[in-house]
Amino acid sequence: NTTGVTMVTNTPPEMLAAQIDAVFEDIPPVAVKIGMVSSAELITVIADRLTAHNAKNVVLDPVMVSTSGSRLIDEPAAEAIRTHLFPLATVVTPNIPETEYLTGLKIGSEADFAGAAVAMSQQRVRAVLFKAGHLDGETLTDYLFDDEKLIRHYRYGRINTLNTHGTGCSLSSAIASYLALEYPLA
């Protein structure tokens, strides 16, 4: 719900593979959004099935670290995301704690995103949208990099609300929806 996650249960890998196959064999999606996946085994299944079906417009929201800074997945799952899903993703949309975890860099201001883009590119990420919502300030800017090159920034005012749980998921879903409609990534 809008306040948090109350329980997580992994789907059996063979069930997940069957679900992905069923979708692609009936009405193949023109975009795919991947959110929280908590095990290396399931991440590998997703990558295998998306590759088998030649999935396009893959948006990866690497849900790895909560807003409070808690790790949500273990290191083998994080490594599976880097190894198997990064190369398939059209765009990756990490929040600041996830960016710091994935790059090993401290993100203290928007100026740090350029170095993070280089680090993500070295991990075979084609495009990355860095979300600035965890930074201080009343006006924030998200940055879209394509292979280390800044291609667009998005400036917005902070909305004063406590209902921020799920905003990254909504954003990445919206990006996938627009890619499905054949809009350019930017």
Side-chain angles (χ1 to χ4, degrees), residues 51-138:
T51 299
H53 293 290
N54 197 28
K56 303 286 187 243
N57 298 315
V58 177
V59 179
L60 173 60
D61 182 14
V63 181
M64 309 169 99
V65 183
S66 71
T67 297
S68 63
S70 300
R71 289 278 308 275
L72 301 173
I73 63 174
D74 61 19
E75 186 54 39
E79 187 55 35
I81 287 172
R82 287 183 188 99
T83 303
H84 301 293
L85 294 182
F86 278 3
L88 299 178
T90 303
V91 64
V92 179
T93 63
N95 63 28
I96 288 185
E98 291 156 351
T99 299
E100 291 177 337
Y101 174 74
L102 290 165
T103 64
L105 302 172
K106 177 72 178 140
I107 306 297
S109 73
E110 294 170 5
D112 297 325
F113 289 140
V118 172
M120 293 293 283
S121 177
Q122 291 169 347
Q123 296 181 62
R124 300 188 306 163
V125 171
R126 288 182 279 180
V128 59
L129 176 67
F130 293 116
K131 301 177 291 192
H134 288 88
L135 294 175
D136 293 329
E138 291 305 311

Side-chain angles (χ1 to χ4, degrees), residues 17-27 53:
Q19 290 173 331
I20 293 170
D21 289 345
V23 168
F24 274 91
E25 290 165 4
D26 182 25
I27 303 171
H53 293 290

